[in-house]
Amino acid sequence: MQKIFLNVAKSALILAYLVIIAGAVVRMTGSGMGCPDWPKCFGYYIPPTEISQLEWQEDRAFKKGQVIIREESLWVAKSDFTTTNQYNPKQWEAYTQHDYAAFNVWHTWIEYINRLATVLLGIPVILLMFLSFWLYRKDPWITYLSFLTLLALGFQAWLGKTVVDSNLLPLKITTHLIMAFVFVALLLYLIFRVQLKHLESSPARKKMGSLFVISILLTIIQIIMGTQVRQFIDTQVIQLGEDAAKFWLQDPTINFYLHRSFSIVIVLFNGFLFYRISKLALKFPKISWVMVFIGLELATGIAMNYFDFPFASQPLHLLWASLLFGVQFYLVLEAFKSGSSLKTL
């Protein structure tokens, strides 16, 4: 059962990263409002593929909750009915969560696929909850953490709804992203705890663990500043257009310079950790992955700044940051336990 649980947990972790990538693609393409309602999309379980499906038509059957765009506003069917030859306003009510009323088939389906990815992630997470009962006697915390992980996914889904309802309020987008990292951390801790045997803590590794904690905090600060830069870019795209990438960073805010300069701190601090681990011959092989992801993160950042945001550079930039966070978090877990009997992830 332990092996099955681990395989399901690792599958959930992979899917969690795929959801993060999907969310980054949504942000890159400006598809966040592709589905203006939640959990359905324009009131449909399968979203429309053309604007005519969102227009009032004669002799057409509508289901309760389905949406049309009329006079640049969203209108929701109050009940099931079939239209006559004239529009009846009594059959409709205004959608009041926000005033965004537009349809772009690409944006709609990109956002819808993002939501499907989240639903798919829910399958292994729910399965973990049930499987954890068989491991309760071995370690009750596995069951508690599995339940907490399920709650975290539900909370994350609710945050996604608030992002849409707020018409992509920056603070809510940032909170949604941070919660994704918390969810990844819970999965990693579950994987770690299931693999962990009863071991004594090593003082030398504990000391290194404190440094790893600092490295994670630096990464989180950098990611939060990155979301502010991303918000500035979103504004520039709206004002200058999607084809004006070379002008998006022509006159950046102070957040951009802070974000760029702080990367030097990240490199120096983690370089110091890499040197210290190598010098003391400590068994932390994942520090190499930390340096790799930092290098990839720098590469995509430089590409966006100097080569006018090449295709996929933005979601890749977030992916490397999320993988960096995951490896650093796992290093913290490893640091506070002796590594002699711990299986690798």
Side-chain angles (χ1 to χ4, degrees):
M1 185 57 67
Q2 179 176 331
K3 185 175 180 180
I4 295 174
F5 187 93
L6 276 174
N7 289 335
V8 174
K10 290 177 182 179
S11 298
L13 182 63
I14 292 171
L15 286 172
Y17 276 111
L18 289 177
V19 170
I20 290 174
I21 295 172
V25 172
V26 168
R27 193 83 189 272
M28 177 188 73
T29 57
S31 304
M33 294 301 291
C35 292
D37 50 335
W38 189 97
K40 295 183 180 180
C41 188
F42 289 102
Y44 296 86
Y45 286 110
I46 300 177
T49 56
E50 53 186 30
I51 187 63
S52 61
Q53 295 175 260
L54 297 174
E55 295 175 338
W56 183 89
Q57 299 172 17
E58 295 183 16
D59 300 319
R60 177 180 166 186
F62 284 94
K63 298 288 186 181
K64 182 179 179 180
Q66 289 182 341
V67 177
I68 61 171
I69 299 176
R70 183 177 175 84
E71 298 176 349
E72 299 183 351
S73 298
L74 297 178
W75 296 89
V76 184
K78 292 182 178 180
S79 60
D80 297 354
F81 61 85
T82 299
T83 58
T84 60
N85 60 350
Q86 287 187 335
Y87 177 78
N88 183 358
K90 294 182 179 180
Q91 294 175 324
W92 304 88
E93 60 184 358
Y95 189 80
T96 57
Q97 293 292 346
H98 55 74
D99 58 1
Y100 182 88
F103 174 72
N104 179 303
V105 64
W106 294 108
H107 290 175
T108 293
W109 277 86
I110 289 171
E111 167 60 14
Y112 183 67
I113 290 172
N114 176 45
R115 296 186 184 185
L116 285 181
T118 304
V119 172
L120 185 62
L121 172 59
I123 296 174
V125 173
I126 292 173
L127 188 56
L128 284 176
M129 182 69 252
F130 287 104
L131 292 174
S132 70
F133 292 119
W134 277 270
L135 299 174
Y136 183 83
R137 288 188 176 181
K138 177 186 176 182
D139 185 353
W141 274 100
I142 294 175
T143 302
Y144 303 150
L145 287 167
S146 297
F147 181 66
L148 184 60
T149 302
L150 181 59
L151 287 180
L153 183 60
F155 182 64
Q156 178 72 333
W158 176 79
L159 282 176
K161 177 185 185 304
T162 66
V163 169
V164 173
D165 289 346
S166 69
N167 195 1
L168 309 183
L169 188 69
L171 178 60
K172 291 186 179 294
I173 293 175
T174 301
T175 304
H176 193 47
L177 177 62
I178 295 300
M179 188 60 204
F181 282 72
V182 171
F183 180 77
V184 165
L186 285 171
L187 284 174
L188 285 170
Y189 187 47
L190 261 178
I191 292 170
F192 177 86
R193 195 166 185 103
V194 170
Q195 294 181 126
L196 182 64
K197 297 179 181 179
H198 296 289
L199 305 165
E200 293 297 326
S201 298
S202 167
R205 295 173 70 88
K206 265 192 172 184
K207 188 173 182 180
M208 185 57 65
S210 300
L211 295 176
F212 287 149
V213 170
I214 295 174
S215 71
I216 284 185
L217 293 176
L218 293 177
T219 297
I220 292 174
I221 291 171
Q222 179 74 329
I223 290 171
I224 292 174
M225 287 194 293
T227 62
Q228 303 306 308
V229 175
R230 177 66 232 181
Q231 180 58 36
F232 170 75
I233 297 299
D234 290 345
T235 303
Q236 293 292 88
V237 172
I238 294 172
Q239 293 178 352
L240 303 176
E242 295 182 0
D243 297 327
K246 63 181 179 180
F247 299 113
W248 292 347
L249 283 174
Q250 193 172 41
D251 188 23
T253 62
I254 187 64
N255 289 329
F256 167 76
Y257 295 108
L258 290 174
H259 182 62
R260 186 178 65 179
S261 300
F262 200 71
S263 63
I264 299 174
V265 177
I266 300 287
V267 171
L268 291 177
F269 189 81
N270 285 278
F272 163 73
L273 294 183
F274 182 84
Y275 169 77
R276 184 177 177 83
I277 289 169
S278 300
K279 184 178 180 179
L280 299 178
L282 297 175
K283 294 181 180 180
F284 288 110
K286 293 182 181 64
I287 191 64
S288 297
W289 282 107
V290 168
M291 302 310 296
V292 168
F293 290 135
I294 288 175
L296 292 171
E297 185 79 346
L298 287 173
T300 49
I302 290 170
M304 288 188 289
N305 189 14
Y306 294 103
F307 299 99
D308 303 330
F309 296 85
F311 178 76
S313 58
Q314 296 177 61
L316 284 175
H317 194 60
L318 178 58
L319 173 62
W320 306 140
S322 59
L323 288 171
L324 172 62
F325 169 83
V327 175
Q328 288 177 323
F329 182 76
Y330 208 81
L331 279 170
V332 170
L333 297 177
E334 288 184 334
F336 289 104
K337 293 292 182 179
S338 171
S340 57
S341 301
L342 182 66
K343 296 179 182 178
T344 185
L345 176 61

